[in-house]
Amino acid sequence: TATLAFMMGLADDAYNTRPFLKLFIQILCGAILCYSGIHIGIFSNMSLNYLITILWIVGIMNSVNMLDNMDSIAAIVSILIFTTAAMLIYLSNTAQNNIYFLILTGLIGSLSGFMIFNWHPYKLYMGDTGSQVIGLLLAITGIIYFWNDVASPNENISISRQFTIVIIAFILPLADTTIVVINRLLKKLSPFVGGRDHTTHNLYFRGITEKRIALLFGGIGFISLSLIYFIQTKITFWVMKECVLFL
């Protein structure tokens, strides 16, 4: 699926492919993952799990693509989400023999090196070729370590707990995409066409520099990481009031 996402992103960068072709490839990536056993598993109805998985894959791939609208933003957000997942593996005491921990470490290192050249003013940019692959990997990481919480010693998955963790971990891409889509639909514009109406652009138009916006997003991502650390280590019995408290 990563190769498929890469080829689709490369074609889009080179030939500016139609949005519905990208959507088809993203849905295909989600279907392949479901077939291979990587899917959200919090509901008893498997059809519902598969549907939410495909929507999740499509949503996160597009979210990262949308976040890649200003220097370093997509890279910083991705690094912090991958770091949060790596932290959950470390807390489960399985990091030494966990292939996912090794992959996440490689992704964090690669994105950190890339961000040196992507920092404002950028010398390299991610483009669809990078954002589609990173978005897919973030979506897979979200399924395994946030939706399904395989690193938690607690075998009883609380739906409200998992929703809370997912929202906290992915608050930046989810919030930006939701706001952009709603605003464009209200203006009767296509959400699939690029524009300068993202959260980063709104902050920039208010006089905040690109470097400070990147640092702000990094700070919010670090707060999300800290909240998930608190949930994972301090809250052993989850009830609805914790969900209300964090949301």
Side-chain angles (χ1 to χ4, degrees):
T1 55
T3 302
L4 192 61
F6 172 81
M7 295 303 295
M8 182 265 289
L10 183 63
D12 191 57
D13 282 334
Y15 303 109
N16 193 23
T17 56
R18 294 182 178 181
F20 287 104
L21 177 59
K22 292 173 62 177
L23 180 61
F24 172 76
I25 298 298
Q26 291 165 351
I27 292 173
L28 182 59
C29 287
I32 292 172
L33 288 170
C34 289
Y35 181 77
S36 64
I38 299 176
H39 57 79
I40 294 169
I42 63 174
F43 298 105
S44 57
N45 188 316
M46 289 306 299
S47 296
L48 183 57
N49 286 329
Y50 292 152
L51 176 61
I52 294 177
T53 298
I54 292 174
L55 291 175
W56 172 254
I57 296 292
V58 172
I60 297 302
M61 289 180 73
N62 282 300
S63 292
V64 176
N65 185 229
M66 287 185 173
L67 275 179
D68 187 32
N69 59 68
M70 189 174 287
D71 299 348
S72 305
I73 299 299
I76 286 177
V77 172
S78 300
I79 287 171
L80 286 164
I81 295 175
F82 285 137
T83 301
T84 304
M87 176 194 69
L88 294 178
I89 298 174
Y90 179 80
L91 292 174
S92 69
N93 297 318
T94 61
Q96 186 174 358
N97 300 314
N98 194 312
I99 185 63
Y100 288 109
F101 186 79
L102 180 62
I103 293 172
L104 288 169
T105 303
L107 287 169
I108 293 166
S110 299
L111 285 169
S112 298
F114 167 76
M115 199 171 68
I116 295 174
F117 301 96
N118 190 232
W119 189 258
H120 182 78
Y122 74 89
K123 298 179 181 66
L124 293 174
Y125 66 93
M126 191 175 289
D128 278 21
T129 308
S131 66
Q132 292 298 314
V133 176
I134 296 300
L136 177 65
L137 295 175
L138 280 172
I140 294 172
T141 301
I143 290 171
I144 297 172
Y145 289 105
F146 300 112
W147 280 108
N148 296 341
D149 197 15
V150 300
S152 175
N154 186 3
E155 296 181 357
N156 296 319
I157 296 178
S158 168
I159 294 178
S160 65
R161 180 183 185 276
Q162 299 319 114
F163 266 107
T164 302
I165 288 177
V166 168
I167 291 172
I168 292 173
F170 288 86
I171 184 65
L172 289 170
L174 290 176
D176 181 68
T177 302
T178 302
I179 292 171
V180 169
V181 170
I182 291 175
N183 285 339
R184 290 183 185 176
L185 290 177
L186 289 175
K187 295 177 182 178
K188 297 182 180 180
L189 299 173
S190 172
F192 297 105
V193 179
R196 296 180 64 82
D197 53 355
H198 294 272
T199 307
T200 49
H201 295 134
N202 291 329
L203 292 171
Y204 181 76
F205 295 148
R206 290 180 178 273
I208 303 176
T209 64
E210 294 188 20
K211 290 182 179 180
R212 289 183 177 179
I213 293 172
L215 291 173
L216 174 62
F217 272 58
I220 295 172
F222 182 77
I223 292 172
S224 296
L225 184 151
S226 302
L227 288 174
I228 291 175
Y229 174 83
F230 179 82
I231 292 172
Q232 197 75 2
T233 58
K234 303 300 182 181
I235 301 179
T236 56
F237 182 74
W238 181 269
V239 292
M240 187 58 69
K241 70 176 183 179
E242 274 83 10
C243 178
V244 175
L245 174 64
F246 281 97
L247 295 180

